[in-house]
Amino acid sequence: MSTKPVSLFKEFRPAELWPDDRGVHINAHGGGILLHEGIYYWFGEHKIEGEAGNNAEVGVHVYSSSNLYQWKDEGIALKVSEDPKSEIARGCILERPKVIYNQRTRKFVMWFHLEIKGSGYSSARSGVAIADQATGPYEFIHSLRPNAGFWPANVPDGLKKPLDNAEQAQLDGLEFPGCPVPHYPPDLLFRRDFVKGQMARDMTLFVDDDGTAYQIYASEENGTLHISQLSDDYLRSSGRYIRIFPGRFHEAPALMKWRGKYFLFSSECTSWDPNAARLSMANSLWGQWTERGNPCRGTKEQIATTFASQSAFVIPVADHHDAFIFMADRWRPENAIDGRYIWLPVQFENDLPFLEWKDRWDLNFFA
Ligand code: GAL
């Protein structure tokens, strides 16, 4: 393994150590990128050594860059709280942070998947924090279960009602310990959670050309994705949302828009273990969404494991046409801090994106 900081080279080296301006491997896992006034900001989970690193002991780390190769450490954008009663108390689970800028309020708004300390993955909440500067400090505003008290826009009216006793009894006997469960009841869980709000685990944010922002999250015990419009200030869900792919257990959503169409990369549901990527597309965020298979090309192993990684985000590259970078994590749950970043160019064929492994590449790829 090279000890020379990769940041001296103007290229991407997927899966290798990626030193920041201080020569330290970048610590921003499950991340996302904000482009603001010509500068890229990379936000991600700060992990510590060992298995303990899978919990949030520090917070959300932020780096800045003008070229996407060389990253300056800008410190901890959102710190976990030392107050054990805080919803973001040190030791909670804080994953997949994403930041967007609200033109109207001039605030930087961060959303993340939040699990309250000590309750495993059962909280399934979204945390929201804001800042005046891209690099923070971010102030934690609140956490929520999205869309409490609102019905999804794309379900028949007959399903817009709370569970009856028989349906509730059907759920009482069921457990959802992990991912794909054979007994998944596609039409009961969003109704169960109507009052309390919808479960939200793996998530991303997306701002459309008109400034409307959306949260895409794995809901209903991970079995169904929701696409949910945010309020105008980006601080809450708006109540307008749809369910997509019920019972298909998509995780790790990462959305891009190309030539007026929306493309969603996601994964299957196997915890930290890599699995096959999925591509879906739609002409409108509100649907119809269709699955378009596995976007990866390469060896059997690469195709089956998304190059041993899981999607996190898609970066639209500034000043280039049709240039997008697929950003993914090669998790190391036994030593979380050593997780690696897989950045690959999104390529297109027959109007669909695809991905291929590259040991080394740079932005001239898009020239
Ligand atoms: C993955 C998910 C990660 C993390 C992990 C925990 O499926 O994408 O963000 O939540 O499970 O097991």
Side-chain angles (χ1 to χ4, degrees), residues 152-154 225-228 240-244 285-287 289:
N154 65 340
L225 284 173
H226 290 184
I227 299 183
S228 165
R240 186 172 182 224
Y241 69 111
I242 57 168
R243 310 167 63 228
I244 63 169
L285 278 173
W286 298 107
W289 281 91

Side-chain angles (χ1 to χ4, degrees), residues 67-109:
N67 60 14
L68 290 167
Y69 312 110
Q70 297 159 321
W71 293 90
K72 177 170 180 248
D73 184 357
E74 299 279 5
I76 302 304
L78 173 69
K79 290 196 169 80
V80 294
S81 172
E82 293 306 322
D83 174 358
K85 291 200 204 81
S86 164
E87 288 187 301
I88 57 162
R90 188 157 53 81
C92 68
I93 292 173
L94 194 169
E95 294 180 337
R96 297 182 178 272
K98 304 288 176 279
V99 171
I100 53 180
Y101 177 68
N102 190 298
Q103 299 278 0
R104 220 176 288 187
T105 61
R106 299 178 182 230
K107 298 281 184 197
F108 295 86
V109 183

Side-chain angles (χ1 to χ4, degrees), residues 95-96 121 202 251 271-272 310:
E95 294 180 337
R96 297 182 178 272
Y121 275 86
D202 280 8
E251 282 199 322
S271 185
W272 303 115
Q310 187 183 30

